[in-house]
Amino acid sequence: MYETGKREPDLETREAIADIFNIDMDYLTERSNTEKMHLTITDTDPQLDELNRNAKQLNTQGLQKLVDISDDMVASGKYEKKPLHTGE
């Protein structure tokens, strides 16, 4: 419901989300330049571990769909890692 705008997280929840994703609270509240903050996934990040665990449970058709989706995400440029620009 947060993603659709039907509910807003309280301050404690926002702080927890910011801590989990290692981002600034201003980023969550859209008060900062989005180029200023970014998430970086490294080879040791839990997101890759989770993706790998999920992928191991998929059949061949499911794996291909996952590859296709990730290819589309990369090609769009919307989800591409971008260098951190402070603009300061």
Side-chain angles (χ1 to χ4, degrees):
M1 292 181 79
Y2 297 152
E3 292 175 355
T4 62
K6 293 180 181 176
R7 282 190 53 173
E8 290 289 324
D10 60 21
L11 181 59
E12 186 176 306
T13 302
R14 287 181 190 165
E15 289 174 346
I17 292 169
D19 288 344
I20 288 168
F21 290 106
N22 194 29
I23 57 175
D24 190 89
M25 285 285 293
D26 286 340
Y27 180 73
L28 285 178
T29 57
E30 299 175 1
R31 287 187 292 202
S32 68
N33 182 342
T34 55
E35 282 189 54
K36 230 176 158 180
M37 301 298 295
H38 69 284
L39 297 176
T40 301
I41 295 178
T42 65
D43 291 339
T44 59
D45 279 341
Q47 292 92 341
L48 287 180
D49 291 339
E50 183 177 356
L51 184 59
N52 192 33
R53 278 192 304 275
N54 291 342
K56 287 179 180 180
Q57 297 180 47
L58 298 174
N59 62 21
T60 303
Q61 187 178 12
L63 282 172
Q64 186 58 55
K65 184 169 181 125
L66 182 60
V67 168
D68 292 344
I69 290 169
S70 65
D71 285 344
D72 289 345
M73 291 174 74
V74 170
S76 77
K78 180 178 179 182
Y79 304 99
E80 181 180 6
K81 285 187 197 178
K82 300 206 185 318
L84 181 63
H85 296 290
T86 60
E88 300 173 7

